[in-house]
Amino acid sequence: QQQVKQSPQSLIVQKGGISIINCAYENTAFDYFPWYQQFPGKGPALLIAIRPDVSEKKEGRFTISFNKSAKQFSLHIMDSQPGDSATYFCAASTGNQGGKLIFGQGTELSVKP
Amino acid sequence: DGGITQSPKYLFRKEGQNVTLSCEQNLNHDAMYWYRQDPGQGLRLIYYSQIVNDFQKGDIAEGYSVSREKKESFPLTVTSAQKNPTAFYLCASTLGGTARNTQYFGPGTRLTVL
């Protein structure tokens, strides 16, 4: 019940296209859903995050869509660029577990020029 | 520069040896975390600490130990009891110890068992 399942494992998108990464969870106590971006050999960095009281959050070319009833959330990258090529992790947490994040398995995104 | 530093960047261990990975932060963050990253498995929590002199086991604590004697330091020891220690280890910290505050990650240490 603590798992977060992420798909696809890898994704290839043409420059200018839309990249979509999906995550699903079981624990209805999760109340915070961040996405992290990781470049090779580096630590992850927070990209965007959402709470379940909203269905969508947009920051520049990055949008999180959240479906509480389906227990799913997704990251959309509009106008994908080669510089977006990285590994993306979704995560989830509850507010009462000392800041513990449960991460998905990761998606390796490659944007072709 | 404020941030999290991890050392060394690469570490090689022989079978049966204990090794210690360093993590230091100057962000004045309360909580610190250690994760292990393996290909295709995401990040898994090893240990975390919300305050000095206190820490809790994460999901995969067996074969690891930590200490939190200072707010800015959270070293991880990989003991000989950890049967498959080859992995990328990431340290993170956050202000206030709640998940709603951003976790900032260090650059990682890649540990290889020879």
Side-chain angles (χ1 to χ4, degrees):
Chain A
Q1 201 181 25
Q2 285 291 318
Q3 280 189 324
V4 176
K5 295 184 179 179
Q6 183 173 346
S7 63
Q9 187 173 355
S10 63
L11 181 62
I12 299 174
V13 173
Q14 290 297 123
K15 179 182 175 181
I18 302 173
S19 304
I20 301 175
I21 304 170
N22 301 299
C23 285
Y25 63 96
E26 289 295 324
N27 187 351
T28 55
F30 286 149
D31 61 1
Y32 176 72
F33 302 89
W35 284 88
Y36 280 80
Q37 179 188 55
Q38 184 181 30
F39 293 103
K42 306 292 184 183
L46 179 67
L47 188 63
I48 186 173
I50 196 169
R51 298 182 190 181
D53 52 346
V54 297
S55 60
E56 185 175 282
K57 183 174 181 180
K58 184 176 181 179
E59 289 185 1
R61 295 184 294 109
F62 301 91
T63 300
I64 299 179
S65 297
F66 186 80
N67 186 329
K68 189 173 182 178
S69 61
K71 291 184 284 186
Q72 295 176 347
F73 58 110
S74 60
L75 176 69
H76 296 233
I77 305 174
M78 311 299 287
D79 187 26
S80 299
Q81 299 297 313
D84 296 330
S85 298
T87 300
Y88 292 82
F89 293 96
C90 62
S93 181
T94 65
N96 62 351
Q97 289 191 321
K100 288 173 57 177
L101 287 172
I102 308 299
F103 284 86
Q105 296 85 350
T107 296
E108 189 172 349
L109 172 65
S110 178
V111 181
K112 299 298 186 184
Chain B
D1 267 345
I4 301 176
T5 57
Q6 291 186 243
S7 62
K9 186 172 183 179
Y10 299 97
L11 185 57
F12 298 90
R13 190 193 94 170
K14 294 181 181 179
E15 294 277 354
Q17 278 185 337
N18 291 355
V19 291
T20 298
L21 283 59
S22 170
C23 177
E24 303 277 333
Q25 54 97 0
N26 61 3
L27 300 167
N28 199 32
H29 283 175
D30 304 294
M32 298 185 74
Y33 309 82
W34 273 106
Y35 293 91
R36 171 181 170 139
Q37 184 174 14
D38 297 280
Q41 294 195 50
L43 281 70
R44 293 181 291 167
L45 184 64
I46 304 172
Y47 269 98
Y48 65 107
S49 168
Q50 292 181 275
I51 57 172
V52 174
N53 292 322
D54 188 41
F55 48 83
Q56 288 77 40
K57 293 182 178 180
D59 300 316
I60 56 165
E62 185 175 350
Y64 300 97
S65 66
V66 293
S67 63
R68 187 86 186 277
E69 296 177 2
K70 298 185 296 183
K71 187 176 185 179
E72 58 270 23
S73 179
F74 191 41
L76 173 74
T77 296
V78 184
T79 75
S80 58
Q82 170 49 238
K83 297 305 178 188
N84 184 23
T86 295
F88 190 49
Y89 290 87
L90 288 158
C91 178
S93 71
T94 189
L95 185 66
T98 78
R100 296 192 188 93
N101 294 331
T102 302
Q103 282 196 17
Y104 293 88
F105 284 83
T109 292
R110 188 165 298 279
L111 173 63
T112 302
V113 173
L114 302 174

